[in-house]
Amino acid sequence: MGKAERRESREFYMLTFPWLVVFLLMSLYPMLYGLYLSFTNFAGFNYENVRYVGLRNYNNVFLDSDAMFALGRSFYIGSLNVLFSTVFGFLIAVLLNNKFKAIGFFRSLYYLPAILPITAVGLMWKQLFATNGVLNDFLSWIGFQPINWLGYDHAAMSLLILLSWGCGGGIIIYLAGLKGISPELYEAAAIDGAGAFRRFRLITIPLMTPVIFFNLVFGIIGSLQIFAQATLLSSNGGLMGVPIRPIYLYLVHTFQQIFMFQRYAYGLALLWVLFIITILLTLIVFGTSRLWVHYESGERKGG
Amino acid sequence: MTQHLATRFTLYGVLLALALVFSFPLYWMAANSLQPLFTGMTWFPERPTLANYRLAFTLQPYWMFFRNSCLLALISVGIPIITSFFSAFAFARLKARFKGVLFMVILATMMIPPTVTQIPQLVLFKQYGLLGTYWPWIISGLGGSPFIIFLYRQFFMNVPRELDEAARIDGCSTFAIIWRIYMPISIPVVATAAIMSFNASWGGDYLAPFMFLQERQYPLSTQLMQVGYILPSSPNVDLFQVKQAALLVFVLPILVVFLFGQRFLISGIMTGSIKS
């Protein structure tokens, strides 16, 4: 190693030192500490007699029928949310990729819901979903029976509507990807006699797979973390509200265990189970990406 | 030709319908915040009044929560947009052993669900007496934010290397290069980082304050989730129009920042996804 290289290396570590220290103290250490606590009987106050209990908490996660039920709901609502936000986001981006007047205005308007605070979005939609709310006004206006949007039969659908309403972040990302596709490809295909739908299927979709892949990875991670949107739709509301069964999500159950019942160690075991599931899902998506994500030759983009 | 016109007409119809879907809830919130009390929900306020806004500020110490939101945003925006500079420069420009590994760590931290660290943080902060203080936000800010480090790094990678080589020949130290060359040309990407972290703090940071702060320190994002607006004399009466007014004032800063800064916001989202 030359002298200049050693100096460069030293400077690198000097400049990244604050980040490294804060990462070790504020991220890595708490994470591992949490992992350790999940193998103990810690209940939020018994610092003096924290005892190792082996896999008991993890065993309880899989015996806890509420946790398993909530995990199922999180998978169900999470996968539908990923599906809807991918399809809507992608199709709206394709629509916005046409030449229109005032396209920038529409793009901004579609993106706006994605940056509104969850607090406002949740409470706003709760009012829209009310039995005497706007959605039922609209339904009766076009001649349908009103729906109990937040009741047992429709709560999951209502939550999905709320979540899909914020698909604007995906729109922007897909739009950027679409703008990167060279127009010559479409022109060449059109000369060869490919119709609009064929061009879409054989050019647009394959070239967009790296972007779809990126959104899929973050969509899965984010969807399993959905929490406040569900508690805000519950009848008692608030951050610690208990939603009805169809939208009783895994993190809701976890926070109930921790903040309402002081079951810290058990709650941490619940969190680590979810974390490991998230990692496994991400690895599966990464692992299968070779089969369906199209990379331009020689150049690896996305992710 | 007529076929073509019909297609365009349909497409505009779809665009407008979607515009309505995406903007209506916000319009509806604004409309009802102007509706007189005890009148039920409306599509259009026929006798608009600002009384709800006055009540939103007086029935709760709204200004106190608003100031708390401002303080948290100031810490969560102001510190990391500066501190992230140094790590980002190092990752973009300097060679070192284990740099690749450390960069993978930065990418990985962006993907870790925050709750996995936040709950044990609560336990640790309690032991070290950090609850009820802003230290958790200040300390994590001092390390820079992984996302901003990533954003800056992508920007720095596109700066021509000749610029710092020329400065080095002129005898500039690394710190001087960062300070005199990189900081001035980075204003657009700093604006992007500032806007994105403002949105994340103002609207997205509700769980950490709930866990780490006392109730009178809550920002609006936490506080407005917790309680409704009720009539002091009869707590069963839910003053729903007042709540809409309170929410509208709460989202106003987000809307203003969006109006003036959306160019930066959109470039930031694209950097985060495409150019990696």
Side-chain angles (χ1 to χ4, degrees):
Chain A
M1 231 183 192
K3 199 178 161 198
E5 275 170 358
R6 243 176 301 145
R7 195 208 49 171
E8 213 172 300
S9 187
R10 201 180 57 231
E11 277 183 350
F12 175 86
Y13 282 102
M14 270 165 59
L15 288 173
T16 52
F17 185 70
W19 165 73
L20 205 56
V21 170
V22 171
F23 164 73
L24 293 175
L25 283 181
M26 300 284 279
S27 299
L28 193 63
Y29 175 55
M31 246 175 78
L32 297 178
Y33 184 61
L35 184 63
Y36 154 72
L37 286 180
S38 71
F39 290 99
T40 67
N41 63 345
F42 183 63
F45 52 86
N46 53 336
Y47 292 100
E48 293 79 39
N49 59 5
V50 174
R51 216 180 59 245
Y52 178 75
V53 297
L55 286 168
R56 194 180 75 193
N57 292 317
Y58 288 90
N59 206 23
N60 285 344
V61 171
F62 296 98
L63 295 176
D64 178 351
S65 57
D66 281 342
M68 288 300 107
F69 172 83
L71 186 61
R73 293 318 291 180
S74 276
F75 270 127
Y76 175 68
I77 290 181
S79 46
L80 284 180
N81 177 44
V82 171
L83 180 71
F84 290 163
S85 52
T86 306
V87 172
F88 292 151
F90 189 68
L91 290 182
I92 293 173
V94 170
L95 180 70
L96 284 176
N97 198 30
N98 288 302
K99 284 196 173 63
F100 287 117
K101 287 200 177 80
I103 203 79
F105 168 76
F106 285 112
R107 188 185 61 181
S108 307
L109 209 58
Y110 295 179
Y111 179 55
L112 188 60
I115 57 157
L116 290 181
I118 290 178
T119 313
V121 172
L123 293 169
M124 199 161 75
W125 277 96
K126 195 182 175 187
Q127 299 294 342
L128 297 177
F129 286 135
T131 39
N132 58 343
V134 167
L135 288 177
N136 277 341
D137 280 1
F138 181 72
L139 281 184
S140 60
W141 185 60
I142 57 172
F144 283 92
Q145 288 296 312
I147 286 178
N148 184 6
W149 293 91
L150 298 175
Y152 209 91
D153 295 336
H154 303 289
M157 179 181 75
S158 301
L159 180 59
L160 282 166
I161 292 176
L162 185 159
L163 294 168
S164 303
W165 188 66
C167 68
I171 297 178
I172 304 283
I173 294 172
Y174 290 127
L175 197 56
L178 290 170
K179 293 256 187 272
I181 300 178
S182 142
E184 280 119 49
L185 280 175
Y186 291 110
E187 281 159 24
I191 290 167
D192 288 347
F197 181 72
R198 247 181 102 74
R199 289 198 300 265
F200 180 73
R201 195 167 61 85
L202 294 176
I203 299 176
T204 314
I205 292 188
L207 287 181
M208 287 294 283
T209 46
V211 186
I212 295 175
F213 171 71
F214 171 87
N215 270 6
L216 207 58
V217 170
F218 280 89
I220 290 169
I221 297 174
S223 287
L224 290 176
Q225 293 283 318
I226 293 168
F227 155 67
Q229 288 93 333
T231 65
L232 286 172
L233 288 184
S234 68
S235 57
N236 49 349
L239 203 48
M240 287 300 132
V242 183
I244 58 170
R245 297 299 275 176
I247 54 171
Y248 188 78
L249 301 177
Y250 190 78
L251 266 197
V252 174
H253 183 68
T254 305
F255 286 165
Q256 286 294 320
Q257 298 304 309
I258 295 173
F259 294 112
M260 297 289 121
F261 304 110
Q262 310 296 317
R263 298 176 70 184
Y264 275 78
Y266 179 58
L268 283 162
L270 285 166
L271 281 176
W272 271 88
V273 168
L274 185 67
F275 186 34
I276 289 163
I277 291 173
T278 312
I279 294 173
L280 288 179
L281 282 176
T282 311
L283 288 179
I284 290 173
V285 177
F286 266 97
T288 58
S289 69
R290 267 184 311 128
L291 302 176
W292 61 275
V293 177
H294 172 95
Y295 291 106
E296 282 166 60
S297 53
E299 177 190 13
R300 296 214 131 207
K301 305 207 260 183
Chain B
M1 193 64 209
T2 37
Q3 168 99 47
H4 185 70
L5 250 167
T7 319
R8 279 201 89 67
F9 200 71
T10 322
L11 285 179
Y12 266 111
V14 175
L15 271 182
L16 282 172
L18 284 171
L20 207 65
V21 168
F22 282 121
S23 59
F24 180 78
L26 205 58
Y27 158 77
W28 187 84
M29 190 167 86
N32 279 278
S33 74
L34 297 170
Q35 177 77 353
L37 279 177
F38 314 118
T39 49
M41 300 182 202
T42 183
W43 288 66
F44 184 78
E46 272 154 23
R47 289 179 293 115
T49 164
L50 287 174
N52 299 323
Y53 285 85
R54 214 187 51 239
L55 284 173
F57 277 86
T58 49
L59 286 179
Q60 276 193 39
Y62 196 92
W63 273 124
M64 183 179 84
F65 297 120
F66 193 90
R67 275 199 308 272
N68 296 342
S69 279
C70 291
L71 184 61
L72 264 187
L74 196 70
I75 296 171
S76 321
V77 176
I79 300 176
I81 60 167
I82 295 168
T83 50
S84 303
F85 238 95
F86 303 102
S87 301
F89 178 86
F91 278 111
R93 279 294 187 255
L94 300 176
K95 281 199 214 73
R97 283 182 81 181
F98 306 119
K99 180 171 120 172
V101 179
L102 290 176
F103 192 65
M104 288 306 287
V105 171
I106 293 217
L107 294 182
T109 45
M110 286 198 280
M111 293 170 80
I112 294 171
T115 43
V116 176
T117 47
Q118 278 173 335
I119 303 290
Q121 273 178 352
L122 171 65
V123 178
L124 289 168
F125 292 161
K126 200 168 175 181
Q127 289 177 61
Y128 291 102
L130 294 177
L131 291 188
T133 74
Y134 292 100
W135 284 111
W137 284 268
I138 296 171
I139 297 170
S140 25
L142 288 176
S145 120
F147 179 72
I148 301 179
I149 293 174
F150 177 73
L151 199 69
Y152 285 177
R153 172 194 175 262
Q154 300 304 97
F155 180 82
F156 293 166
M157 301 277 269
N158 292 327
V159 175
R161 236 173 221 285
E162 291 78 42
L163 218 58
D164 22 324
E165 274 156 19
R168 269 205 209 284
I169 291 164
D170 288 348
C172 276
S173 67
T174 302
F175 189 77
I177 289 174
I178 296 176
W179 192 251
R180 295 223 202 110
I181 298 177
Y182 279 78
M183 286 230 176
I185 57 171
S186 303
I187 290 172
V189 72
V190 173
T192 300
I195 290 170
M196 293 186 94
S197 18
F198 174 77
N199 283 349
S201 168
W202 191 268
D205 197 12
Y206 51 88
L207 192 61
F210 173 77
M211 294 195 291
F212 303 155
L213 294 176
Q214 314 242 301
E215 213 168 322
R216 58 180 176 75
Q217 296 169 308
Y218 280 176
L220 285 169
S221 54
T222 312
Q223 177 63 18
L224 291 178
M225 266 187 199
Q226 295 302 98
V227 288
Y229 277 89
I230 44 163
L231 211 57
S233 51
S234 49
N236 291 326
V237 181
D238 183 32
L239 302 176
F240 130 83
Q241 285 91 355
V242 180
K243 183 94 185 190
Q244 304 304 307
L247 286 175
L248 205 76
V249 177
F250 169 52
V251 300
L252 207 60
I254 298 264
L255 295 179
V256 172
V257 167
F258 180 65
L259 200 64
F260 291 104
Q262 56 160 308
R263 184 163 62 89
F264 298 110
L265 196 59
I266 285 166
S267 81
I269 299 163
M270 297 193 314
T271 315
S273 64
I274 305 293
K275 289 181 192 158
S276 56

